[in-house]
């Protein structure tokens, strides 16, 4: 009997694959905000973990889950941009936040070294073409 039985290894690999497929969506880090709904499609995924800046309903700004004062935001973003290979960043803003605050944070993201800013929204909003988005 000189053959290796690979059936147990395949079984273990399939179980691990299922575990990782179920656990991966639960690993996203974020601050709970009420995102506005749009009909836009999602951005393609990337190899590096996406950096997210969040503006809460109270107007506080957070990088991932760390609260950052507005006057320190650009300096912290520059320090992070030096360490990252990708200049993509995701901006999550509560729907109740004024547009002026969102625009100011977007300007800070740009000055901090991130030129590719993705606005995060929930799907299911109006399509703006006369059809009901649901």
């Amino acid at each position: 009997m000189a053959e290796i039985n690979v059936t147990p290894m395949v079984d273990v690999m399939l179980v691990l694959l299922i575990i990782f497929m179920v656990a991966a969506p639960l690993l996203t880090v974020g601050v709970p905000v009420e995102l506005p709904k749009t009909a836009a499609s999602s951005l393609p995924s990337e190899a590096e973990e996406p950096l997210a800046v969040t503006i809460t309903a109270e107007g506080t700004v957070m990088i991932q889950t760390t609260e950052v004062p507005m006057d320190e935001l650009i300096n912290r973003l520059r320090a992070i941009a030096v360490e990252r290979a990708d200049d993509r960043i995701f901006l999550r803003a509560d729907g109740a936040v004024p547009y002026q605050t969102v625009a100011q944070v977007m300007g800070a993201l740009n000055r901090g070294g991130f030129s590719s800013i993705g606005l995060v929204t929930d799907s299911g909003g109006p399509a703006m073409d006369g059809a009901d988005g649901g």
Side-chain angles (χ1 to χ4, degrees), residues 52-75:
V53 173
T54 305
I55 308 171
T56 63
E58 295 80 28
T60 58
V61 178
M62 305 183 95
I63 298 177
Q64 296 294 79
T65 57
T66 307
E67 187 173 341
V68 179
M70 283 292 280
D71 56 347
E72 295 179 16
L73 182 61
I74 294 175
N75 291 333

Side-chain angles (χ1 to χ4, degrees), residues 15 19 23 69 86 89 119 121 123:
V15 168
I19 290 172
D86 194 8
I89 191 165
L119 298 176
T121 60
S123 60

Side-chain angles (χ1 to χ4, degrees), residues 3-34:
E3 297 178 16
I4 297 174
N5 188 2
V6 295
T7 305
M9 182 183 72
V10 171
D11 290 344
V12 170
M13 295 303 290
L14 288 174
V15 168
L16 288 175
L17 177 67
I18 292 170
I19 290 172
F20 286 123
M21 285 174 54
V22 169
L26 303 175
L27 297 177
T28 57
V29 177
V31 179
V33 292
E34 187 66 34

Side-chain angles (χ1 to χ4, degrees), residues 34-42 119-127 133-134:
E34 187 66 34
L35 296 173
K37 297 189 181 306
T38 64
S41 59
S42 62
L119 298 176
V120 179
T121 60
D122 278 340
S123 60

Side-chain angles (χ1 to χ4, degrees), residues 40-131:
S41 59
S42 62
L43 291 173
S45 63
E46 57 214 31
E48 193 173 27
E49 179 183 347
L51 180 65
V53 173
T54 305
I55 308 171
T56 63
E58 295 80 28
T60 58
V61 178
M62 305 183 95
I63 298 177
Q64 296 294 79
T65 57
T66 307
E67 187 173 341
V68 179
M70 283 292 280
D71 56 347
E72 295 179 16
L73 182 61
I74 294 175
N75 291 333
R76 293 225 187 150
L77 288 170
R78 285 183 181 153
I80 293 170
V82 170
E83 300 293 324
R84 295 180 62 87
D86 194 8
D87 67 342
R88 273 191 172 171
I89 191 165
F90 293 133
L91 178 59
R92 302 172 69 234
D94 193 282
V97 175
Y99 180 70
Q100 178 179 357
T101 305
V102 175
Q104 288 172 349
V105 171
M106 285 178 68
L109 295 177
N110 197 340
R111 289 193 57 209
F114 293 94
S115 60
S116 179
I117 302 170
L119 298 176
V120 179
T121 60
D122 278 340
S123 60
M128 306 302 277
D129 61 357

